[in-house]
Amino acid sequence: MDRQQKLALVRRAYARRLMAAAGIANPGVEAAFAAVERERYLGPGPWPILRSVGYIPTPDADPVHLYDDVLIGIIPERGLNNGMPSYHVPLLASAGIRAGDHVVHIGAGVGYYTAIMACLVGPAGRVTAIEFDAGLARRAAVNFSTARNVQVLQGDGFSMSFDSADVIYANAGVTHPADIWLDRLNDGGRLILPLTVERTWLPGGATPISPYGAVFRIERDGDEYFAAWISAVGLYPCEGGRDDASEAALDAAFQKGGWRSVTRLYRTGDLPDKRCWLRGTRWALAYD
């Protein structure tokens, strides 16, 4: 058995462990995690892995170190990481990405999870990867230079234009949804929306991230948007996707609790208080 065959076995075991730990049976997501080579997107090792004491480099450049549920620094001096696989497994399963879909990945980083989405949409689908950081966007563009179903764009994914999408997967913490995300979501489309507040410091990093938050799945049905809580989250903040008033309202909503009971997103703030978990100026997350 050669080295690549051994790594393929390691990836299959890694994918199976992730699914088992999440308690999720999703053959497509499992197969995508087993197929995509994490090292291809992270560049040559050794790699900085975030531990409780800060970033610790892997002992060598053997890719086997990457196939664990770990955060790996992509710009460690700023606390920017290739995200935790166990965080993405339930979100990808909830997004329900299908062959032929158009997925918009907001906050693509170097593209590892973009590649997993590209695997799920297949050759008949496509992924638009949007990354704010110019250096990371260049790295992602190089990583996908031969991919026919991935386009990498550099810019503010909270405001820039893109084609209508079956799935919009936001990978940075926001205080409110972007209008364009809701506008460009196809009928039946799903938005993965991470809402986060109160920034704090990562161990060994220099950039604040949220210590708590909630990820919601928003599904469009005509002019209606149905919502469901997926998981807790602590996530790097989205450039352009935060403002003080929205953050204060979100913080108050978290303080009172009840986010797991949210069932609807309304594109109006004109709802009775008793129905709202969170009210914005022109939108609300509500219980019915």
Side-chain angles (χ1 to χ4, degrees):
M1 183 182 296
D2 65 21
R3 180 63 177 159
Q4 290 306 311
Q5 290 173 320
K6 289 179 181 178
L7 280 174
L9 288 176
V10 168
R11 285 196 303 274
R12 285 200 291 271
Y14 154 79
R16 184 162 294 184
R17 288 196 309 272
L18 291 174
M19 305 305 292
I24 292 172
N26 187 307
V29 172
E30 181 175 340
F33 272 95
V36 175
E37 300 171 348
R38 202 175 188 185
E39 64 273 21
R40 178 180 174 187
Y41 300 91
L42 295 176
W47 301 274
I49 294 181
L50 184 61
R51 307 293 188 185
S52 60
V53 295
Y55 289 98
I56 305 297
T58 57
D60 52 44
D62 188 339
V64 72
H65 301 301
L66 303 179
Y67 295 107
D68 201 355
D69 191 25
V70 291
L71 288 167
I72 301 164
I74 52 177
I75 308 181
E77 63 273 18
R78 289 171 49 197
L80 268 169
N81 305 305
N82 181 241
M84 192 80 80
S86 61
Y87 166 72
H88 287 276
V89 163
L91 272 59
L92 288 164
S94 184
I97 299 171
R98 297 183 286 261
D101 277 352
H102 175 215
V103 177
V104 176
H105 185 192
I106 309 291
V110 293
Y112 172 60
Y113 295 103
T114 306
I116 289 173
M117 296 174 202
C119 190
L120 290 168
V121 302
R126 61 191 176 105
V127 181
T128 301
I130 301 174
E131 173 53 47
F132 182 84
D133 185 272
L136 292 179
R138 284 193 295 270
R139 289 174 62 181
V142 170
N143 288 336
F144 291 106
S145 60
T146 62
R148 295 185 177 182
N149 64 345
V150 177
Q151 179 186 25
V152 178
L153 302 176
Q154 191 277 320
D156 182 356
F158 199 80
S159 60
M160 70 185 299
S161 182
F162 51 80
D163 292 342
S164 61
D166 301 295
V167 174
I168 300 172
Y169 191 100
N171 197 38
V174 299
T175 56
H176 54 289
D179 285 337
I180 194 169
W181 296 354
L182 301 174
D183 291 341
R184 296 293 172 90
L185 198 62
N186 286 334
D187 195 14
R190 290 80 63 201
L191 164 64
I192 302 301
L193 177 67
L195 298 175
T196 62
V197 299
E198 287 191 10
R199 302 175 185 184
T200 191
W201 295 97
L202 265 175
T207 300
I209 68 165
S210 166
Y212 71 91
V215 187
F216 293 92
R217 178 187 193 268
I218 310 299
E219 182 170 356
R220 184 172 189 172
D221 182 4
D223 292 330
E224 297 186 302
Y225 297 83
F226 294 90
W229 177 86
I230 306 173
S231 75
V233 60
L235 202 59
Y236 198 88
C238 177
E239 294 287 346
R242 313 188 68 84
D243 66 67
D244 291 343
S246 295
E247 187 148 2
L250 182 57
D251 180 63
F254 277 121
Q255 295 297 328
K256 74 180 180 182
W259 56 86
R260 293 190 186 212
S261 300
V262 167
T263 58
R264 298 285 291 270
L265 183 148
Y266 290 94
R267 300 193 72 175
T268 177
D270 187 20
L271 292 173
D273 287 342
K274 66 180 181 180
R275 290 182 57 194
C276 290
W277 174 67
L278 171 63
R279 183 201 308 276
T281 53
R282 297 186 304 276
W283 73 285
L285 283 172
Y287 300 119
D288 54 33

